[in-house]
Amino acid sequence: GENVEQHPSTLSVQEGDSAVIKCTYSDSASNYFPWYKQELGKRPQLIIDIRSNVGEKKDQRIAVTLNKTAKHFSLHITETQPEDSAVYFCAATYTGNQFYFGTGTSLTVIP
Amino acid sequence: DAGVIQSPRHEVTEMGQEVTLRCKPISGHNSLFWYRQTMMRGLELLIYFNNNVPIDDSGMPEDRFSAKMPNASFSTLKIQPSEPRDSAVYFCASSAGTGRLEETQYFGPGTRLLVL
């Protein structure tokens, strides 16, 4: 089965700086990679996703990059704001199979 | 739209008791997912349905867990008998489409279960 590793487990940045979270996966058949944001005590919410036929995707301050050869994908948040503070989860899957989540990264943006 | 609705929001029970968690997906969505979240194991997909039919239940931890979806607007996750290690937050999510995992899922608020 798939194995998703996520790093770092905690990350603190100054407001306005960039934050990068990286995930690696093991199954080369995985073709869909979403990122979820979960605020304390709240539900996970999809913030961005990428499919294996695309190398990069952007949505305002958030971007995701995918390196299929190295089997890793990263979340980039630019110009961080205090409201970006949350736990971020990556996941990997391929059609008809299980959803494999990373262990999460707790991001703190310091005002 | 009210979003995905889950009940109860909190449940405290004693070991050995039956627990039933309920979920109402977003109207029009035809796929429903049950997840479990713990500090130790993180987020795990337990089972998902498409058009009320279970598609993959390989994440269900053991026979004590069962899930049903009798119609398009209701699903239950039952634990019988419950054990302390079942304590977790259980999320339900729904999506529109063909039941493929790469369709955007909308999560409910979760049920926080504590088994004493």
Side-chain angles (χ1 to χ4, degrees):
Chain A
E2 177 65 278
N3 181 41
V4 178
E5 294 188 358
Q6 184 172 346
H7 299 281
S9 57
T10 60
L11 178 61
S12 292
V13 299
Q14 291 289 332
E15 182 177 357
D17 288 350
S18 295
V20 181
I21 303 169
K22 182 176 176 179
C23 287
T24 60
Y25 61 99
S26 60
D27 194 332
S28 57
S30 291
N31 61 0
Y32 176 64
F33 309 91
W35 284 91
Y36 288 86
K37 175 184 179 182
Q38 187 176 26
E39 297 176 7
L40 187 63
K42 300 286 183 65
R43 72 196 75 186
Q45 290 187 300
L46 179 72
I47 55 171
I48 195 166
D49 56 16
I50 192 167
R51 287 168 171 74
S52 59
N53 59 346
V54 176
E56 182 176 5
K57 184 176 179 181
K58 285 185 179 180
D59 183 1
Q60 300 182 339
R61 298 186 296 108
I62 295 174
V64 56
T65 58
L66 171 65
N67 184 325
K68 287 187 294 182
T69 302
K71 290 189 280 189
H72 67 71
F73 56 110
S74 300
L75 177 70
H76 305 254
I77 306 175
T78 59
E79 301 173 25
T80 54
Q81 301 167 4
E83 51 264 39
D84 294 330
S85 296
V87 177
Y88 292 81
F89 293 95
C90 63
T93 188
Y94 62 89
T95 302
N97 202 11
Q98 258 284 355
F99 230 99
Y100 298 93
F101 287 88
T103 49
T105 296
S106 178
L107 172 65
T108 301
V109 179
I110 304 166
Chain B
D1 195 325
V4 176
I5 299 173
Q6 290 186 247
S7 65
R9 295 292 307 276
H10 303 272
E11 176 82 18
V12 180
T13 191
E14 292 187 345
M15 182 174 63
Q17 296 298 306
E18 177 180 297
V19 175
T20 300
L21 311 181
R22 298 173 175 79
C23 176
K24 177 179 169 55
I26 293 172
S27 178
H29 282 190
N30 55 359
S31 296
L32 184 140
F33 308 80
W34 282 102
Y35 291 89
R36 178 173 68 176
Q37 186 175 36
T38 62
M39 289 295 292
M40 290 295 294
R41 300 177 67 88
L43 263 170
E44 303 172 280
L45 175 62
L46 302 178
I47 184 171
Y48 67 98
F49 297 84
N50 180 246
N51 292 327
N52 313 336
V53 177
I55 302 301
D56 192 308
D57 65 354
S58 59
M60 295 286 263
E62 48 196 277
D63 292 345
R64 298 184 298 105
F65 286 69
S66 62
K68 294 182 180 180
M69 192 164 186
N71 57 62
S73 59
F74 183 66
S75 177
T76 59
L77 177 67
K78 186 175 293 186
I79 309 172
Q80 167 63 19
S82 60
E83 298 182 2
R85 60 194 169 118
D86 301 331
S87 299
V89 179
Y90 291 82
F91 289 102
C92 174
S94 71
S95 69
T98 59
R100 293 164 53 156
L101 292 176
E102 58 266 39
E103 292 158 346
T104 300
Q105 298 178 28
Y106 298 87
F107 281 73
T111 294
R112 189 172 297 274
L113 173 65
L114 177 61
V115 183
L116 301 174

